[in-house]
Amino acid sequence: MKQLLALLLFCPLAGWAQSETVIPGLALPNPQADTLKPIEIREYPYTYGNRSYVTTSLARIYSYDGVDVQNPAQELWPRMRALNDPDVNREYQLYTNAVESRSTARVFAGIFTVGGLIAMIAGGVQARDYQQALNAKRQAWYATPAQLITTPAPATISKTCSAWIGSKNSAGVTQWTYMSDLSIKVTGGDSPPLSVQVPNPNQTPTTSFAPQPPIPTSVNMPTGQGLLYGGLTSVLIGTVIWYTTPNTGDHFHRAVQLYNWALPRKISWQLFPYSQFGMGGLTLLGTFK
């Protein structure tokens, strides 16, 4: 009789002891946030570089419901925003602003970089043409032979005379005779001259080279240096803009942390009833886990 009573009482309790079951109509519907699950984060360092330069960085892998997420930003933001947490929404706004700023900055970086590369190419072409023209001008300078100039000898030369003999003729005019060369005579004057013009005994002409212009150092055309330096500056500006764009990964990582912190903790319970016999008769007990 006692065993039959125990079986009759145990059968209904065994039906109630279904784990994580909800009887329709007896429980309120769960909010949407209750269906969300935590996002797992795994981080590992990795090293790349060469013998002279080695860099260590940190890689993150996000998992949802035990599955690694291929595109975290695209797949996880809808789940995190479904929580409707103000901190998560604030990080999402910061993330959106950073994405927009990053997109705009990359457009400007591309404009500066591409424009700078085009300017450097144009400057390189101008510099090549300038150097070719300068080399051609220098080759023409080297190929031009020196001009030989022939100068005839002067018909007369100046001769210094220091000793004279003077005598007057019948007309009273003084005639001066050079004592070292009696063929040199001068008529007139109260005193003899210090030098006289005499025929040049050496009539051999002299030869010399005409003076040459200096070697060419420039040509009248653009050198291309302005475009080269300007293009290089533009590329550097574009590179700085590219590498100083806002980092979206920090906002996303913080949003994941805030999401996990604000995620409601679900309590699962199960009723495991059992019976035992004692001195006082049949006793029904239940445990919650």
Side-chain angles (χ1 to χ4, degrees):
M1 187 65 182
K2 291 182 178 181
Q3 293 178 353
L4 178 61
L5 181 60
L7 290 174
L8 291 176
L9 293 175
F10 178 76
C11 289
L13 292 177
W16 296 342
Q18 301 297 325
S19 62
E20 296 185 353
T21 57
V22 178
I23 301 177
L26 297 182
L28 295 176
N30 293 330
Q32 186 177 6
D34 286 350
T35 63
L36 300 175
K37 298 180 180 180
I39 299 174
E40 299 178 0
I41 305 174
R42 302 196 308 274
E43 296 180 343
Y44 65 93
Y46 65 96
T47 303
Y48 60 94
N50 50 37
R51 294 182 178 179
S52 59
Y53 177 78
V54 177
T55 300
T56 301
S57 184
L58 191 67
R60 294 190 181 102
I61 298 178
Y62 296 92
S63 302
Y64 185 82
D65 198 12
V67 179
D68 291 343
V69 180
Q70 298 295 330
N71 191 342
Q74 183 177 359
E75 299 180 26
L76 296 182
W77 271 125
R79 291 179 170 85
M80 289 190 291
R81 296 192 65 197
L83 186 61
N84 199 22
D85 182 74
D87 295 330
V88 175
N89 292 337
R90 184 184 69 254
E91 290 298 327
Y92 175 75
Q93 187 62 41
L94 295 175
Y95 174 86
T96 303
N97 296 338
V99 169
E100 294 177 354
S101 300
R102 188 182 185 91
S103 177
T104 303
R106 287 188 171 182
V107 170
F108 281 102
I111 292 174
F112 276 100
T113 303
V114 174
L117 291 176
I118 293 175
M120 291 179 66
I121 292 174
V125 173
Q126 286 188 354
R128 182 200 61 187
D129 295 341
Y130 177 86
Q131 191 62 39
Q132 290 178 351
L134 181 59
N135 292 338
K137 192 173 181 180
R138 287 179 175 177
Q139 290 177 0
W141 183 86
Y142 286 118
T144 302
Q147 298 294 327
L148 187 62
I149 301 176
T150 301
T151 304
T156 60
I157 59 174
S158 178
K159 186 177 180 61
T160 303
C161 301
S162 58
W164 295 87
I165 300 173
S167 61
K168 290 185 180 182
N169 57 15
S170 57
V173 178
T174 302
Q175 186 177 10
W176 303 96
T177 303
Y178 183 48
M179 295 179 60
S180 299
D181 188 354
L182 298 179
S183 63
I184 300 175
K185 296 181 179 182
V186 176
T187 302
D190 296 334
S191 59
L194 298 178
S195 63
V196 294
Q197 293 293 324
V198 298
N200 185 8
N202 184 11
Q203 294 295 322
T204 302
T206 59
T207 57
S208 61
F209 291 100
Q212 284 186 309
I215 184 172
T217 57
S218 63
V219 290
N220 189 18
M221 61 182 302
T223 61
Q225 293 184 357
L227 288 176
L228 284 174
Y229 290 128
L232 179 60
T233 303
S234 181
V235 170
L236 291 177
I237 292 175
T239 304
V240 171
I241 294 176
W242 181 273
Y243 283 101
T244 56
T245 52
N247 187 7
T248 59
D250 294 340
H251 296 294
F252 181 80
H253 185 66
R254 180 172 175 80
V256 171
Q257 293 176 329
L258 293 173
Y259 164 83
N260 290 332
W261 180 77
L263 192 66
R265 299 297 188 267
K266 296 171 59 177
I267 300 176
S268 356
W269 59 275
Q270 294 177 338
L271 176 62
F272 295 93
Y274 66 95
S275 60
Q276 68 179 10
F277 290 96
M279 297 297 295
L282 179 64
T283 303
L284 297 178
L285 300 174
T287 61
F288 292 89
K289 295 184 179 180

